[in-house]
Amino acid sequence: MTALKGFTQLLQLDGQDNRLYTDIMLSELERINSIVSELLLLAKPQVTLQREHNLLTILEKVNTLLEMQAIIHNVQLVAEFDTGMPLLKCVEYQLKQVFINLLKNAIEAMPHGGTVTVIAGWFDDRHVSVRFIDQGSGIPLASLDRLGEPFYTTKERGTGLGFMVSYKIIEDHGGRIHVESEEQKGTTVEVILPIDKV
């Protein structure tokens, strides 16, 4: 894949007008790369060191990353964070991957715009909670039961791996994901994480 990507980029530098083809090729190569990365994450055991991180800082980074995508989709991001939250033992890049996936899903669930609210706070005295609440069309009950299944997707160009990878990452952190949805009203995805997981 690296060679394919490199030669495609060389074609872009060529004086001829190959732009349309090379853009499509690079886009599809990125898609393949993303799918392979997700499959590798599921297939091989992850030996990762969890360190203490500020959950709110991770969420702020994710909001900043997806701010432009939200604007393009006419979606307003609203953050409601409890400032008295503890540090969380986690693998930062993995949690960031989960939050990016869930926030992207929430934004894409509202093709006509709306508001996505991200709420972070205490779930109970030993767990924290992050909720992603959209005003989209909701998920039918039959589809809701299948979320997290390998290769099951409701998106036209989806792989069904994003949610599955998210479930695995949160499970590896000793947490869980809970989804509630009502058609034509929206979806709430809640990530619950323990504060004392080593």
Side-chain angles (χ1 to χ4, degrees):
M1 280 202 345
T2 303
L4 286 170
K5 192 172 177 181
F7 285 121
T8 305
Q9 289 169 330
L10 278 175
L11 273 174
Q12 279 184 319
L13 298 174
D14 186 9
Q16 298 178 30
D17 188 17
N18 299 317
R19 191 89 178 146
L20 175 64
Y21 304 117
T22 55
D23 284 351
I24 292 170
M25 290 163 67
L26 281 171
S27 168
E28 290 305 303
L29 283 168
E30 282 302 321
R31 193 165 175 298
I32 291 167
N33 192 42
S34 172
I35 292 168
V36 170
S37 296
E38 288 178 333
L39 285 170
L40 283 172
L41 182 66
L42 291 170
K44 68 178 182 182
Q46 300 294 305
V47 180
T48 49
L49 181 62
Q50 294 189 356
R51 297 183 189 215
E52 288 192 333
H53 291 282
N54 186 322
L55 180 63
L56 303 186
T57 302
I58 296 172
L59 287 167
E60 284 163 4
K61 287 178 185 175
V62 169
N63 276 3
T64 302
L65 277 171
L66 293 180
E67 200 169 27
M68 191 50 66
Q69 184 175 350
I71 290 168
I72 290 167
H73 285 81
N74 195 30
V75 170
Q76 180 184 1
L77 297 180
V78 176
E80 297 177 11
F81 298 159
D82 180 347
T83 53
M85 293 182 63
L87 292 176
L88 190 67
K89 280 198 174 174
C90 64
V91 181
E92 182 183 22
Y93 79 89
Q94 288 184 349
L95 278 194
K96 196 185 290 185
Q97 181 181 354
V98 170
F99 297 152
I100 287 171
N101 182 38
L102 297 179
L103 190 52
K104 274 179 75 174
N105 285 350
I107 291 168
E108 291 169 3
M110 298 184 295
H112 306 295
T115 301
V116 174
T117 307
V118 182
I119 301 172
W122 288 93
F123 180 77
D124 59 28
D125 61 342
R126 296 181 60 203
H127 296 82
V128 292
S129 160
V130 181
R131 288 184 288 156
F132 298 85
I133 305 166
D134 69 52
Q135 301 170 325
S137 55
I139 304 168
L141 190 58
S143 297
L144 197 59
D145 292 340
R146 298 191 63 193
L147 286 179
E149 281 184 21
F151 307 106
Y152 178 76
T153 183
T154 57
K155 295 180 184 177
E156 189 178 318
R157 286 178 56 87
T159 62
L161 293 173
F163 225 90
M164 188 177 170
V165 167
S166 296
Y167 270 116
K168 182 181 184 331
I169 289 171
I170 296 305
E171 189 179 88
D172 288 348
H173 280 76
R176 63 189 186 274
I177 295 179
H178 178 71
V179 183
E180 286 182 9
S181 189
E182 193 173 339
E183 289 190 75
Q184 307 311 318
K185 292 200 174 174
T187 302
T188 298
V189 179
E190 183 173 29
V191 177
I192 300 162
L193 292 161
I195 57 170
D196 56 358
K197 173 84 173 124
V198 179

